[in-house]
């Protein structure tokens, strides 16, 4: 209700998956969950290779599981951006959130820099 009808309609029209082509011809795929199921989070476990085998881009950025990680699988850089305000991880009563900067470098590699943040409990309650 707080977003209103137009805001909700705009959000519903967003694509499930977005692919961004960078100037150096590398590509970044962004989605909520895993490439096989957008409602299921992607985890850094023994099934990760199988889950991302269909991705042709250089970087895959996902969320859903609320557990941030970055991992290189051959040429593919997999980044779980985690969550802002919804993470199950807590530090001194505050939720731990994650932010990720993805940057292409002149050597042809794309690198990710993860930053852990603390979300004050009051902000987390507003977001949750």
């Amino acid at each position: 209700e707080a977003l209103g009808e137009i805001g909700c309609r705009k959000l519903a029209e967003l694509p499930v998956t977005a692919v961004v082509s960078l100037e150096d011809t590398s590509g970044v795929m962004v989605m909520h969950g895993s490439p096989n199921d957008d409602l299921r989070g992607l985890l850094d476990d023994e099934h990760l290779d199988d889950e991302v085998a269909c991705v042709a881009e250089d970087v895959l950025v996902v969320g859903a599981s609320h557990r941030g990680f970055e991992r290189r699988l051959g040429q593919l850089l997999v980044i779980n951006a985690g969550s802002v305000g919804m993470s199950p991880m807590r530090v001194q009563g505050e939720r731990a959130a994650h932010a990720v900067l993805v940057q292409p470098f002149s050597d042809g590699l794309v690198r990710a820099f993860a930053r852990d943040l603390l979300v004050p409990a009051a902000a987390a309650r507003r977001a949750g």
Side-chain angles (χ1 to χ4, degrees), residues 62-94:
V62 299
S65 71
H66 304 283
R67 298 179 190 273
F69 68 84
E70 60 182 87
R71 185 164 162 206
R72 184 164 290 281
L73 299 170
Q75 295 297 317
L76 177 65
L77 177 61
V78 181
I79 301 166
N80 188 322
S83 173
V84 176
M86 294 294 289
S87 174
M89 296 171 33
R90 294 189 183 272
V91 177
Q92 297 177 355
E94 296 181 335

Side-chain angles (χ1 to χ4, degrees), residues 10-88:
K10 293 277 188 193
L11 287 172
E13 293 171 355
L14 290 173
V16 173
T17 302
V19 175
V20 179
S21 296
L22 304 176
E23 290 179 13
D24 67 355
T25 70
S26 61
V28 178
M29 177 182 279
V30 181
M31 64 181 50
H32 179 253
S34 82
N36 297 320
D37 183 350
D38 194 54
L39 298 178
R40 190 180 73 233
L42 197 59
L43 300 174
D44 189 14
D45 64 12
E46 66 272 7
H47 305 289
L48 186 59
D49 284 336
D50 295 333
E51 291 280 341
V52 301
C54 61
V55 177
E57 285 70 29
D58 303 285
V59 179
L60 173 64
V61 179
V62 299
S65 71
H66 304 283
R67 298 179 190 273
F69 68 84
E70 60 182 87
R71 185 164 162 206
R72 184 164 290 281
L73 299 170
Q75 295 297 317
L76 177 65
L77 177 61
V78 181
I79 301 166
N80 188 322
S83 173
V84 176
M86 294 294 289
S87 174

Side-chain angles (χ1 to χ4, degrees), residues 1-15:
E1 290 177 6
L3 293 175
E5 183 181 334
I6 293 173
C8 288
R9 188 172 49 239
K10 293 277 188 193
L11 287 172
E13 293 171 355
L14 290 173

Side-chain angles (χ1 to χ4, degrees), residues 95-109:
R95 289 186 180 177
H98 313 283
V100 177
L101 169 67
V102 179
Q103 182 176 356
F105 282 78
S106 59
D107 62 4
L109 293 177

